[in-house]
Amino acid sequence: MSARSNFGRAFVYGDDITTDALAPGAYMKKPVEEMASHCLEAIDPNFAKAVRAGDVVVGGENFGMGSSREQAAIALRQLGVNAVVAKSFAGLFFRNAVNVGLAPLVCAEADRIRPGDELSVEPVVGRIENLTTGEIYTCEPIPPHLLDMIRDGGLLPHLEKKLRKTAR
Amino acid sequence: MGLTLTQKIIARAAGVTSVAPGEIVTCRVDLAMMHDSGGPRRVGPMLERLGAKVWDPSKVVVIADHYVPAIDADSAAILDLTRKWVKAAGITRFHDMQGICHVVLPERGHLRPGLFAVGGDSHSPTAGAFGCFMFGVGATEMAGVLVTGAIWLRVPQEHSVRWDGRLTTGVVAKDMVLAMCRTISLNGIKYGVVEYAGEAIAALSMSERMVLTNMTAELGAQTGIIAPDRTTVAYLAEVGVDAPDAITWQSDADSTPFKRWAFDATSLEPQIAAPHSPANSAPAREHRGTAIDQCYIGACTGAKLSDLHMAAEILKGRKVAPGTRLLVAPASTRITAIAAADGTLATLAEAGAILLPSGCGACAGLGAGLLAENEVCLSSTARNFKGRMGAASALVYLGSPYSVAAAAVAGHIVDPRELLAEQAAA
């Protein structure tokens, strides 16, 4: 779950990473496993094969630009990515990421992270330790009204919990 | 201090008298729109998991426009599921293969000024042309809306975009928005809201205003909006919407935007955005001579009736150049019917255009008209991101329907005013 601390290697990309690259339209009608195997192939054909559970995707400005398709965030989750670190996010992607349990971390120092750096990420406190360089980065705090949702693992488990409470 | 139009809509939906930018509020949703791709097939299983029903089926509109018509077993199954779910959920406002959601919504009278709406598609800001506050959400967020009837929102910062002067012949809303993408950038609005105003905006038809609010998504905005005026009221009357309060939805004179942007319509030239970004735009003449394999007139952005009329104006008495193909996918079946009746379709067909079904099609990387490796396309759609319309190595340029039709005739990019001037002289 995205609320947990996370340890993995950095996959670093630039500004304006699109939802078309993250979840290509041609595979949107396919099962999530198949769709995810094409994640980012337009800009890095090796990504889906190389990425392992716990790895972290790092972007520049406006990460997740474009479509409302939350499969862009789901594809990353499917591949084991629990956190994306970027200088900024497209607003729609940010909401989708939180909703599906992927932590979107806004970090002004995202550009200090190099491909392959080993990162330890604590989403809720917004702290990233670069184990390769020894640097510590501070992320913008997750808005307080979203913390419960992040802790619950996304909007659906959050709603499930709330509905159970109401039913009681 | 007064409120902006957006703040008034949000405050009303949140049940409060006033809101300020940055404030987190929960709003009641007046209208939730979803399509066959992000809709029933995604939200259905989520509602089942929650053991919940749609909070108010009368507030939901479902439009099948992505996988239409079915081209294989997968897309046929998606459409079948959509139809069955809509029936079981008791949703009566269902438009099956009648056109693209953002065009069908106003055309079928679902929009009125002051509405607080969400759409399961990133081009949902289109509805802002009708004075609605409508923004795109993902499927999980939509499931949340369907269960609770509400959604959280951070009140967006207000960006005022003013267009002074008047557009000249051959220059249209698409050129305005491509110029804005360059100046403002794809991240420039940072999830704020854009309110458009000025002489050039007031002069635009509803169909042209929709191009601006549609591509406000490309400016990194949550949404865009245009205050209702006589043009809006006339459109609403035409589609049978009774909205006596329409004109009252205005920003207060003493409301203050976060940022002001100013543009001049009079000096604007036709614009072309080069691969792979709508922000990569320049005057069309700078791309003159770029050979084009496929010209595409389609999508919510660029295949409304006015767009087809622009194409026909260029194509009348001319032919598509050998070695180039022109594909036209009218944005709705109603548009197709009008274009058939007024002779537009005949003009396009005589010129050699290939007519495609009404739907999102190649713009969304689906259906007919996808591109092969290294092919070059000029498209009237909203996005030319790498890999979106087919092969990752394909090069997609964006332009107005005038520019796309002109390139189809020339076989390469030209300033469409060259062809319009020849028509005028003939």
mmCIF file of all heavy atoms in Angstrom, chain B residues 88-133:
data_model
loop_
_atom_site.group_PDB
_atom_site.id
_atom_site.type_symbol
_atom_site.label_atom_id
_atom_site.label_comp_id
_atom_site.label_asym_id
_atom_site.label_seq_id
_atom_site.Cartn_x
_atom_site.Cartn_y
_atom_site.Cartn_z
ATOM 1 N N ALA B 88 -29.902 -1.738 -16.224
ATOM 2 C CA ALA B 88 -30.055 -2.244 -14.859
ATOM 3 C C ALA B 88 -29.993 -1.114 -13.835
ATOM 4 O O ALA B 88 -30.653 -1.163 -12.799
ATOM 5 C CB ALA B 88 -28.970 -3.281 -14.574
ATOM 6 N N ALA B 89 -29.193 -0.076 -14.141
ATOM 7 C CA ALA B 89 -29.034 1.032 -13.191
ATOM 8 C C ALA B 89 -30.197 2.024 -13.285
ATOM 9 O O ALA B 89 -30.277 2.961 -12.489
ATOM 10 C CB ALA B 89 -27.706 1.748 -13.441
ATOM 11 N N GLY B 90 -31.067 1.841 -14.266
ATOM 12 C CA GLY B 90 -32.213 2.741 -14.405
ATOM 13 C C GLY B 90 -31.854 4.108 -14.964
ATOM 14 O O GLY B 90 -32.524 5.101 -14.692
ATOM 15 N N ILE B 91 -30.782 4.150 -15.763
ATOM 16 C CA ILE B 91 -30.358 5.425 -16.357
ATOM 17 C C ILE B 91 -31.044 5.601 -17.715
ATOM 18 O O ILE B 91 -30.878 4.761 -18.603
ATOM 19 C CB ILE B 91 -28.826 5.472 -16.483
ATOM 20 C CG1 ILE B 91 -28.214 5.559 -15.079
ATOM 21 C CG2 ILE B 91 -28.377 6.660 -17.342
ATOM 22 C CD1 ILE B 91 -26.787 5.149 -15.011
ATOM 23 N N THR B 92 -31.817 6.665 -17.833
ATOM 24 C CA THR B 92 -32.575 6.859 -19.082
ATOM 25 C C THR B 92 -31.837 7.781 -20.055
ATOM 26 O O THR B 92 -32.085 7.744 -21.249
ATOM 27 C CB THR B 92 -33.960 7.456 -18.791
ATOM 28 O OG1 THR B 92 -33.779 8.652 -18.016
ATOM 29 C CG2 THR B 92 -34.821 6.474 -18.012
ATOM 30 N N ARG B 93 -30.940 8.618 -19.518
ATOM 31 C CA ARG B 93 -30.208 9.519 -20.414
ATOM 32 C C ARG B 93 -28.982 8.782 -20.960
ATOM 33 O O ARG B 93 -27.857 8.965 -20.489
ATOM 34 C CB ARG B 93 -29.811 10.795 -19.658
ATOM 35 C CG ARG B 93 -31.038 11.620 -19.267
ATOM 36 C CD ARG B 93 -30.664 13.055 -19.019
ATOM 37 N NE ARG B 93 -30.274 13.314 -17.648
ATOM 38 C CZ ARG B 93 -29.800 14.484 -17.239
ATOM 39 N NH1 ARG B 93 -29.633 15.478 -18.073
ATOM 40 N NH2 ARG B 93 -29.480 14.663 -15.978
ATOM 41 N N PHE B 94 -29.223 7.904 -21.924
ATOM 42 C CA PHE B 94 -28.169 7.083 -22.522
ATOM 43 C C PHE B 94 -28.132 7.350 -24.020
ATOM 44 O O PHE B 94 -29.154 7.245 -24.705
ATOM 45 C CB PHE B 94 -28.462 5.601 -22.241
ATOM 46 C CG PHE B 94 -27.511 4.641 -22.913
ATOM 47 C CD1 PHE B 94 -26.142 4.865 -22.925
ATOM 48 C CD2 PHE B 94 -28.001 3.484 -23.536
ATOM 49 C CE1 PHE B 94 -25.266 3.971 -23.552
ATOM 50 C CE2 PHE B 94 -27.142 2.588 -24.155
ATOM 51 C CZ PHE B 94 -25.772 2.835 -24.157
ATOM 52 N N HIS B 95 -26.983 7.720 -24.530
ATOM 53 C CA HIS B 95 -26.832 7.981 -25.968
ATOM 54 C C HIS B 95 -25.850 6.972 -26.534
ATOM 55 O O HIS B 95 -24.656 7.031 -26.268
ATOM 56 C CB HIS B 95 -26.351 9.415 -26.202
ATOM 57 C CG HIS B 95 -27.312 10.429 -25.657
ATOM 58 N ND1 HIS B 95 -28.491 10.738 -26.282
ATOM 59 C CD2 HIS B 95 -27.286 11.146 -24.513
ATOM 60 C CE1 HIS B 95 -29.140 11.640 -25.562
ATOM 61 N NE2 HIS B 95 -28.439 11.904 -24.479
ATOM 62 N N ASP B 96 -26.400 6.041 -27.292
ATOM 63 C CA ASP B 96 -25.632 4.916 -27.802
ATOM 64 C C ASP B 96 -25.247 5.187 -29.255
ATOM 65 O O ASP B 96 -26.115 5.237 -30.117
ATOM 66 C CB ASP B 96 -26.524 3.662 -27.695
ATOM 67 C CG ASP B 96 -25.755 2.384 -27.980
ATOM 68 O OD1 ASP B 96 -24.517 2.463 -28.201
ATOM 69 O OD2 ASP B 96 -26.380 1.318 -27.986
ATOM 70 N N MET B 97 -23.966 5.418 -29.509
ATOM 71 C CA MET B 97 -23.463 5.639 -30.863
ATOM 72 C C MET B 97 -24.128 6.842 -31.538
ATOM 73 O O MET B 97 -24.416 6.800 -32.729
ATOM 74 C CB MET B 97 -23.636 4.376 -31.727
ATOM 75 C CG MET B 97 -23.038 3.147 -31.095
ATOM 76 S SD MET B 97 -22.483 1.921 -32.293
ATOM 77 C CE MET B 97 -23.981 1.510 -33.107
ATOM 78 N N GLN B 98 -24.381 7.885 -30.766
ATOM 79 C CA GLN B 98 -24.982 9.097 -31.340
ATOM 80 C C GLN B 98 -23.973 10.226 -31.457
ATOM 81 O O GLN B 98 -24.310 11.327 -31.883
ATOM 82 C CB GLN B 98 -26.188 9.533 -30.504
ATOM 83 C CG GLN B 98 -27.338 8.540 -30.629
ATOM 84 C CD GLN B 98 -28.467 8.797 -29.666
ATOM 85 O OE1 GLN B 98 -28.318 9.499 -28.673
ATOM 86 N NE2 GLN B 98 -29.613 8.225 -29.958
ATOM 87 N N GLY B 99 -22.726 9.951 -31.053
ATOM 88 C CA GLY B 99 -21.704 10.973 -31.174
ATOM 89 C C GLY B 99 -20.824 11.036 -29.944
ATOM 90 O O GLY B 99 -20.999 10.264 -28.995
ATOM 91 N N ILE B 100 -19.883 11.970 -29.966
ATOM 92 C CA ILE B 100 -18.889 12.101 -28.903
ATOM 93 C C ILE B 100 -19.487 12.863 -27.718
ATOM 94 O O ILE B 100 -20.144 13.886 -27.890
ATOM 95 C CB ILE B 100 -17.628 12.801 -29.427
ATOM 96 C CG1 ILE B 100 -17.101 12.056 -30.667
ATOM 97 C CG2 ILE B 100 -16.567 12.882 -28.345
ATOM 98 C CD1 ILE B 100 -15.989 12.763 -31.393
ATOM 99 N N CYS B 101 -19.216 12.343 -26.531
ATOM 100 C CA CYS B 101 -19.896 12.817 -25.319
ATOM 101 C C CYS B 101 -19.921 14.342 -25.175
ATOM 102 O O CYS B 101 -20.961 14.917 -24.884
ATOM 103 C CB CYS B 101 -19.303 12.148 -24.084
ATOM 104 S SG CYS B 101 -17.530 12.355 -23.848
ATOM 105 N N HIS B 102 -18.781 15.008 -25.383
ATOM 106 C CA HIS B 102 -18.715 16.459 -25.124
ATOM 107 C C HIS B 102 -19.553 17.268 -26.114
ATOM 108 O O HIS B 102 -19.908 18.404 -25.837
ATOM 109 C CB HIS B 102 -17.266 16.932 -25.151
ATOM 110 C CG HIS B 102 -16.394 16.091 -24.278
ATOM 111 N ND1 HIS B 102 -16.601 15.996 -22.927
ATOM 112 C CD2 HIS B 102 -15.360 15.264 -24.561
ATOM 113 C CE1 HIS B 102 -15.722 15.151 -22.413
ATOM 114 N NE2 HIS B 102 -14.963 14.683 -23.379
ATOM 115 N N VAL B 103 -19.846 16.650 -27.258
ATOM 116 C CA VAL B 103 -20.670 17.318 -28.268
ATOM 117 C C VAL B 103 -22.145 16.939 -28.066
ATOM 118 O O VAL B 103 -23.042 17.775 -28.218
ATOM 119 C CB VAL B 103 -20.178 16.936 -29.685
ATOM 120 C CG1 VAL B 103 -21.102 17.478 -30.751
ATOM 121 C CG2 VAL B 103 -18.752 17.442 -29.887
ATOM 122 N N VAL B 104 -22.373 15.675 -27.697
ATOM 123 C CA VAL B 104 -23.741 15.202 -27.483
ATOM 124 C C VAL B 104 -24.381 15.894 -26.266
ATOM 125 O O VAL B 104 -25.574 16.221 -26.286
ATOM 126 C CB VAL B 104 -23.755 13.658 -27.315
ATOM 127 C CG1 VAL B 104 -25.106 13.164 -26.833
ATOM 128 C CG2 VAL B 104 -23.375 12.988 -28.638
ATOM 129 N N LEU B 105 -23.603 16.131 -25.216
ATOM 130 C CA LEU B 105 -24.148 16.751 -23.982
ATOM 131 C C LEU B 105 -24.924 18.035 -24.262
ATOM 132 O O LEU B 105 -26.093 18.140 -23.886
ATOM 133 C CB LEU B 105 -23.031 17.031 -22.973
ATOM 134 C CG LEU B 105 -22.640 15.953 -21.960
ATOM 135 C CD1 LEU B 105 -21.642 16.523 -20.964
ATOM 136 C CD2 LEU B 105 -23.836 15.385 -21.221
ATOM 137 N N PRO B 106 -24.307 19.034 -24.913
ATOM 138 C CA PRO B 106 -25.082 20.252 -25.199
ATOM 139 C C PRO B 106 -26.145 20.035 -26.266
ATOM 140 O O PRO B 106 -27.272 20.536 -26.137
ATOM 141 C CB PRO B 106 -24.016 21.244 -25.688
ATOM 142 C CG PRO B 106 -22.860 20.412 -26.124
ATOM 143 C CD PRO B 106 -22.891 19.179 -25.276
ATOM 144 N N GLU B 107 -25.792 19.262 -27.292
ATOM 145 C CA GLU B 107 -26.687 19.040 -28.426
ATOM 146 C C GLU B 107 -28.029 18.436 -27.993
ATOM 147 O O GLU B 107 -29.075 18.751 -28.544
ATOM 148 C CB GLU B 107 -25.947 18.063 -29.352
ATOM 149 C CG GLU B 107 -26.441 17.911 -30.733
ATOM 150 C CD GLU B 107 -25.573 16.884 -31.466
ATOM 151 O OE1 GLU B 107 -25.774 15.665 -31.261
ATOM 152 O OE2 GLU B 107 -24.689 17.289 -32.224
ATOM 153 N N ARG B 108 -27.979 17.558 -26.989
ATOM 154 C CA ARG B 108 -29.204 16.896 -26.523
ATOM 155 C C ARG B 108 -29.789 17.590 -25.290
ATOM 156 O O ARG B 108 -30.609 17.013 -24.564
ATOM 157 C CB ARG B 108 -28.915 15.424 -26.201
ATOM 158 C CG ARG B 108 -28.317 14.657 -27.362
ATOM 159 C CD ARG B 108 -29.318 14.446 -28.490
ATOM 160 N NE ARG B 108 -28.647 13.952 -29.689
ATOM 161 C CZ ARG B 108 -29.136 12.992 -30.474
ATOM 162 N NH1 ARG B 108 -30.283 12.442 -30.218
ATOM 163 N NH2 ARG B 108 -28.465 12.619 -31.546
ATOM 164 N N GLY B 109 -29.314 18.798 -25.025
ATOM 165 C CA GLY B 109 -29.947 19.613 -23.987
ATOM 166 C C GLY B 109 -29.639 19.239 -22.550
ATOM 167 O O GLY B 109 -30.416 19.512 -21.644
ATOM 168 N N HIS B 110 -28.497 18.620 -22.304
ATOM 169 C CA HIS B 110 -28.161 18.233 -20.928
ATOM 170 C C HIS B 110 -27.451 19.342 -20.148
ATOM 171 O O HIS B 110 -27.231 19.212 -18.951
ATOM 172 C CB HIS B 110 -27.280 16.980 -20.933
ATOM 173 C CG HIS B 110 -27.941 15.777 -21.526
ATOM 174 N ND1 HIS B 110 -29.156 15.298 -21.078
ATOM 175 C CD2 HIS B 110 -27.580 14.965 -22.550
ATOM 176 C CE1 HIS B 110 -29.506 14.235 -21.795
ATOM 177 N NE2 HIS B 110 -28.570 14.017 -22.691
ATOM 178 N N LEU B 111 -27.024 20.402 -20.837
ATOM 179 C CA LEU B 111 -26.244 21.450 -20.158
ATOM 180 C C LEU B 111 -27.044 22.734 -20.007
ATOM 181 O O LEU B 111 -27.823 23.101 -20.886
ATOM 182 C CB LEU B 111 -24.964 21.746 -20.958
ATOM 183 C CG LEU B 111 -23.996 20.582 -21.147
ATOM 184 C CD1 LEU B 111 -22.781 21.051 -21.942
ATOM 185 C CD2 LEU B 111 -23.557 19.995 -19.807
ATOM 186 N N ARG B 112 -26.821 23.420 -18.901
ATOM 187 C CA ARG B 112 -27.386 24.746 -18.673
ATOM 188 C C ARG B 112 -26.418 25.516 -17.773
ATOM 189 O O ARG B 112 -25.724 24.912 -16.954
ATOM 190 C CB ARG B 112 -28.766 24.644 -18.008
ATOM 191 C CG ARG B 112 -28.708 23.909 -16.668
ATOM 192 C CD ARG B 112 -30.030 23.900 -15.948
ATOM 193 N NE ARG B 112 -31.053 23.260 -16.734
ATOM 194 C CZ ARG B 112 -32.289 23.739 -16.860
ATOM 195 N NH1 ARG B 112 -32.638 24.835 -16.242
ATOM 196 N NH2 ARG B 112 -33.183 23.097 -17.581
ATOM 197 N N PRO B 113 -26.362 26.829 -17.917
ATOM 198 C CA PRO B 113 -25.434 27.614 -17.119
ATOM 199 C C PRO B 113 -25.656 27.395 -15.615
ATOM 200 O O PRO B 113 -26.792 27.203 -15.176
ATOM 201 C CB PRO B 113 -25.758 29.058 -17.516
ATOM 202 C CG PRO B 113 -26.293 28.938 -18.911
ATOM 203 C CD PRO B 113 -27.069 27.657 -18.922
ATOM 204 N N GLY B 114 -24.565 27.398 -14.866
ATOM 205 C CA GLY B 114 -24.635 27.255 -13.415
ATOM 206 C C GLY B 114 -24.530 25.828 -12.924
ATOM 207 O O GLY B 114 -24.435 25.573 -11.726
ATOM 208 N N LEU B 115 -24.494 24.875 -13.853
ATOM 209 C CA LEU B 115 -24.431 23.452 -13.498
ATOM 210 C C LEU B 115 -23.064 23.102 -12.891
ATOM 211 O O LEU B 115 -22.034 23.543 -13.390
ATOM 212 C CB LEU B 115 -24.620 22.654 -14.789
ATOM 213 C CG LEU B 115 -25.363 21.331 -14.775
ATOM 214 C CD1 LEU B 115 -26.796 21.518 -14.316
ATOM 215 C CD2 LEU B 115 -25.363 20.742 -16.186
ATOM 216 N N PHE B 116 -23.078 22.264 -11.847
ATOM 217 C CA PHE B 116 -21.833 21.692 -11.309
ATOM 218 C C PHE B 116 -21.795 20.239 -11.774
ATOM 219 O O PHE B 116 -22.631 19.430 -11.368
ATOM 220 C CB PHE B 116 -21.802 21.771 -9.784
ATOM 221 C CG PHE B 116 -20.505 21.264 -9.195
ATOM 222 C CD1 PHE B 116 -19.496 22.138 -8.850
ATOM 223 C CD2 PHE B 116 -20.293 19.890 -9.005
ATOM 224 C CE1 PHE B 116 -18.285 21.677 -8.319
ATOM 225 C CE2 PHE B 116 -19.087 19.420 -8.486
ATOM 226 C CZ PHE B 116 -18.086 20.316 -8.140
ATOM 227 N N ALA B 117 -20.836 19.935 -12.650
ATOM 228 C CA ALA B 117 -20.850 18.624 -13.298
ATOM 229 C C ALA B 117 -19.468 17.987 -13.318
ATOM 230 O O ALA B 117 -18.444 18.684 -13.338
ATOM 231 C CB ALA B 117 -21.368 18.769 -14.729
ATOM 232 N N VAL B 118 -19.448 16.661 -13.310
ATOM 233 C CA VAL B 118 -18.196 15.928 -13.503
ATOM 234 C C VAL B 118 -18.367 15.005 -14.704
ATOM 235 O O VAL B 118 -19.467 14.539 -15.003
ATOM 236 C CB VAL B 118 -17.784 15.092 -12.269
ATOM 237 C CG1 VAL B 118 -17.505 15.989 -11.081
ATOM 238 C CG2 VAL B 118 -18.839 14.054 -11.919
ATOM 239 N N GLY B 119 -17.250 14.748 -15.390
ATOM 240 C CA GLY B 119 -17.280 13.863 -16.536
ATOM 241 C C GLY B 119 -16.119 12.891 -16.459
ATOM 242 O O GLY B 119 -15.017 13.272 -16.068
ATOM 243 N N GLY B 120 -16.370 11.662 -16.867
ATOM 244 C CA GLY B 120 -15.307 10.661 -16.850
ATOM 245 C C GLY B 120 -14.435 10.764 -18.087
ATOM 246 O O GLY B 120 -14.184 9.774 -18.767
ATOM 247 N N ASP B 121 -13.962 11.973 -18.364
ATOM 248 C CA ASP B 121 -13.126 12.213 -19.537
ATOM 249 C C ASP B 121 -12.427 13.556 -19.369
ATOM 250 O O ASP B 121 -13.027 14.508 -18.875
ATOM 251 C CB ASP B 121 -13.984 12.230 -20.810
ATOM 252 C CG ASP B 121 -13.132 12.176 -22.063
ATOM 253 O OD1 ASP B 121 -12.616 13.233 -22.480
ATOM 254 O OD2 ASP B 121 -12.946 11.079 -22.605
ATOM 255 N N SER B 122 -11.175 13.617 -19.816
ATOM 256 C CA SER B 122 -10.381 14.833 -19.552
ATOM 257 C C SER B 122 -10.841 16.036 -20.362
ATOM 258 O O SER B 122 -10.484 17.162 -20.029
ATOM 259 C CB SER B 122 -8.906 14.565 -19.826
ATOM 260 O OG SER B 122 -8.729 14.209 -21.181
ATOM 261 N N HIS B 123 -11.618 15.822 -21.425
ATOM 262 C CA HIS B 123 -12.103 16.986 -22.173
ATOM 263 C C HIS B 123 -13.469 17.483 -21.679
ATOM 264 O O HIS B 123 -14.131 18.280 -22.351
ATOM 265 C CB HIS B 123 -12.101 16.695 -23.687
ATOM 266 C CG HIS B 123 -10.712 16.766 -24.251
ATOM 267 N ND1 HIS B 123 -10.072 15.708 -24.839
ATOM 268 C CD2 HIS B 123 -9.819 17.784 -24.257
ATOM 269 C CE1 HIS B 123 -8.847 16.066 -25.190
ATOM 270 N NE2 HIS B 123 -8.672 17.320 -24.850
ATOM 271 N N SER B 124 -13.846 17.059 -20.473
ATOM 272 C CA SER B 124 -15.083 17.531 -19.857
ATOM 273 C C SER B 124 -15.161 19.051 -19.718
ATOM 274 O O SER B 124 -16.263 19.601 -19.675
ATOM 275 C CB SER B 124 -15.279 16.861 -18.498
ATOM 276 O OG SER B 124 -15.408 15.463 -18.666
ATOM 277 N N PRO B 125 -14.029 19.774 -19.617
ATOM 278 C CA PRO B 125 -14.115 21.243 -19.573
ATOM 279 C C PRO B 125 -14.874 21.853 -20.752
ATOM 280 O O PRO B 125 -15.275 23.017 -20.688
ATOM 281 C CB PRO B 125 -12.649 21.680 -19.587
ATOM 282 C CG PRO B 125 -11.924 20.567 -18.903
ATOM 283 C CD PRO B 125 -12.637 19.315 -19.367
ATOM 284 N N THR B 126 -15.087 21.095 -21.823
ATOM 285 C CA THR B 126 -15.845 21.594 -22.979
ATOM 286 C C THR B 126 -17.149 22.266 -22.544
ATOM 287 O O THR B 126 -17.547 23.303 -23.094
ATOM 288 C CB THR B 126 -16.177 20.434 -23.943
ATOM 289 O OG1 THR B 126 -14.993 19.667 -24.170
ATOM 290 C CG2 THR B 126 -16.713 20.952 -25.266
ATOM 291 N N ALA B 127 -17.811 21.667 -21.540
ATOM 292 C CA ALA B 127 -19.121 22.171 -21.097
ATOM 293 C C ALA B 127 -19.044 23.592 -20.544
ATOM 294 O O ALA B 127 -20.068 24.261 -20.405
ATOM 295 C CB ALA B 127 -19.714 21.236 -20.040
ATOM 296 N N GLY B 128 -17.826 24.046 -20.225
ATOM 297 C CA GLY B 128 -17.649 25.407 -19.729
ATOM 298 C C GLY B 128 -18.104 26.462 -20.727
ATOM 299 O O GLY B 128 -18.457 27.582 -20.343
ATOM 300 N N ALA B 129 -18.144 26.113 -22.003
ATOM 301 C CA ALA B 129 -18.622 27.054 -23.024
ATOM 302 C C ALA B 129 -20.065 27.446 -22.752
ATOM 303 O O ALA B 129 -20.525 28.495 -23.187
ATOM 304 C CB ALA B 129 -18.499 26.428 -24.413
ATOM 305 N N PHE B 130 -20.790 26.597 -22.011
ATOM 306 C CA PHE B 130 -22.203 26.842 -21.718
ATOM 307 C C PHE B 130 -22.399 27.383 -20.300
ATOM 308 O O PHE B 130 -23.495 27.323 -19.746
ATOM 309 C CB PHE B 130 -22.992 25.542 -21.932
ATOM 310 C CG PHE B 130 -22.859 25.042 -23.343
ATOM 311 C CD1 PHE B 130 -21.774 24.231 -23.704
ATOM 312 C CD2 PHE B 130 -23.754 25.434 -24.327
ATOM 313 C CE1 PHE B 130 -21.615 23.805 -25.014
ATOM 314 C CE2 PHE B 130 -23.593 25.015 -25.644
ATOM 315 C CZ PHE B 130 -22.521 24.197 -25.985
ATOM 316 N N GLY B 131 -21.300 27.875 -19.698
ATOM 317 C CA GLY B 131 -21.399 28.443 -18.356
ATOM 318 C C GLY B 131 -21.537 27.396 -17.264
ATOM 319 O O GLY B 131 -22.013 27.682 -16.166
ATOM 320 N N CYS B 132 -21.122 26.157 -17.555
ATOM 321 C CA CYS B 132 -21.126 25.095 -16.541
ATOM 322 C C CYS B 132 -19.743 24.999 -15.922
ATOM 323 O O CYS B 132 -18.745 25.296 -16.579
ATOM 324 C CB CYS B 132 -21.425 23.736 -17.164
ATOM 325 S SG CYS B 132 -22.927 23.677 -18.132
ATOM 326 N N PHE B 133 -19.677 24.536 -14.671
ATOM 327 C CA PHE B 133 -18.390 24.154 -14.098
ATOM 328 C C PHE B 133 -18.325 22.638 -14.201
ATOM 329 O O PHE B 133 -19.000 21.918 -13.471
ATOM 330 C CB PHE B 133 -18.272 24.598 -12.633
ATOM 331 C CG PHE B 133 -16.922 24.278 -12.040
ATOM 332 C CD1 PHE B 133 -15.843 25.127 -12.237
ATOM 333 C CD2 PHE B 133 -16.716 23.116 -11.300
ATOM 334 C CE1 PHE B 133 -14.592 24.831 -11.709
ATOM 335 C CE2 PHE B 133 -15.461 22.812 -10.772
ATOM 336 C CZ PHE B 133 -14.397 23.675 -10.970
#
